Amino acid sequence: MNDTNTLLIVGPKGTGGIDRYITEQRRYLADRMPVRLYTRYTAPKGDGLERATRMVLSSLYAVLLFPFQPRPDIVHVHSSHTYSFYRSAFFVLFSAYVWRVPVVLHIHGSSFDEFLATDSRLVRLLQSVVFDTVDDVIVLSEYWRTLVSELAGEEKVHVMANAVDPTDYDPTYPTDPVHLVFVSNLIERKGISEFLDAVEALADRPDLSFEVSIGGRGPFSDRAESVAATHDNVSYLGFISETEKQALISRGTVFVLPTYAEGLPIAMLEGMAGGNAIVSTPVGSIPEVITDDRGVLVTPGDADELTGALARLVSAPDEAVELGRTNRALIEDRYSWQSNADNLVAMYADAK
């Protein structure tokens, strides 16, 4: 490929980490090659049948309009598991067999390992066809490389971790008091219930000095608001903008994400860029990043263990700050968007 070749990025809007990745991908590649986005489908609202109907209609609309896009020189498709993969399969196959251009498939999602282990012969056939068709597959870690390589072949699979721009964050490393930050969708999978349990348990200990900030919306918003109303050192901020989030994380000491399932969460990398120690769980690719000198990992769903980990860091603010400084340096060295963009451009250039 040369620098004038056009890249078409295909992915969803309003889906948290994938949406943020696509935004930054376009931002950092725009001065290297022409980049277009195809993001006509969004995460549907509602529940049950209403949600399923919206999802089908949104995807059908995106599929019907896709063939009318100007033909690019390379297509980069972002996908997750189950329904996202089924939809992405169309974009992959159309791009490869109708446009006859190289296709990169970028795997996100917290449960893609379970999706690969499906008992459905039809789904496994579709997986094989898609992985045979694409020129390259991007995964987030060595854990995912091992799994995906069984279908795609090792030569196709590239590990490219999620990335952030460290210049968006200006760490303050507060210790008086220690500042615990939780920013995510307030859904069960993110561990918000256990975090709120831990906050209430810590609040009963007069020997601990800390403050808590919670950003995000979801089914646990009412409970987060109630806990904040009960405790003066707890703030529930609701939805916050990207700029507000960056400023909040930069004022944090410990970023907390006691999630049940993840790939490599961008939110955690953002916490590291903000100079925070990390308290999370050993799921997905998180253990490859968060070692003992960067944070504490606890069992998903264990509020008591989470409480103990937070109490430890609140009681040892200097240790928390040291972990945070290590994390900031790691982001600058290994998880910055500059290096990520360099790797993407090199991979596009080598595409068949």
Side-chain angles (χ1 to χ4, degrees), residues 150-288:
E150 294 180 8
L151 276 178
E154 291 185 7
E155 70 283 353
K156 283 188 179 182
V157 183
H158 309 265
V159 175
M160 293 189 193
N162 285 331
V164 296
D165 185 345
T167 65
D168 288 336
Y169 301 85
D170 185 17
T172 59
Y173 305 106
T175 59
D176 188 19
V178 169
H179 187 186
L180 308 179
V181 176
F182 182 106
V183 181
S184 186
N185 295 323
L186 303 192
I187 58 176
E188 183 177 11
R189 180 172 68 84
K190 297 297 185 178
I192 179 60
S193 178
E194 290 77 23
F195 178 63
L196 292 172
D197 288 345
V199 168
E200 292 190 298
L202 293 175
D204 290 334
R205 294 186 50 176
D207 59 311
L208 299 179
S209 176
F210 66 97
E211 65 173 313
V212 178
S213 295
I214 302 169
R217 291 188 303 205
F220 285 84
S221 293
D222 288 345
R223 188 180 170 205
E225 188 172 11
S226 175
V227 171
T230 305
H231 303 284
D232 293 339
N233 61 334
V234 180
S235 299
Y236 172 55
L237 307 174
F239 173 80
I240 55 178
S241 69
E242 192 69 16
T243 300
E244 291 169 331
K245 178 187 70 177
Q246 292 165 356
L248 173 62
I249 291 174
S250 296
R251 299 194 306 270
T253 316
V254 180
F255 188 86
V256 189
L257 186 67
T259 178
Y260 295 6
E262 292 288 343
L264 177 60
I266 290 180
M268 184 186 76
L269 298 180
E270 291 172 336
M272 296 168 69
N276 289 243
I278 301 296
V279 173
S280 191
T281 55
V283 300
S285 304
I286 293 175
E288 295 182 29

Side-chain angles (χ1 to χ4, degrees), residues 15 41 45 51 82 129 140 165 167 176 202 224 232 238 250 271 292 295 297 349:
T15 53
Y41 51 100
K45 299 179 181 179
R51 178 181 175 85
T82 56
V129 169
L140 302 180
D165 185 345
T167 65
D176 188 19
L202 293 175
D232 293 339
S250 296
D292 289 344
L297 300 181

Side-chain angles (χ1 to χ4, degrees), residues 23-44:
T23 298
E24 295 301 296
Q25 180 184 7
R26 185 184 187 190
R27 172 184 169 191
Y28 278 89
L29 294 178
D31 63 345
R32 304 179 184 222
M33 62 176 61
V35 179
R36 298 203 316 269
L37 296 182
Y38 188 76
T39 55
R40 292 188 179 274
Y41 51 100
T42 61

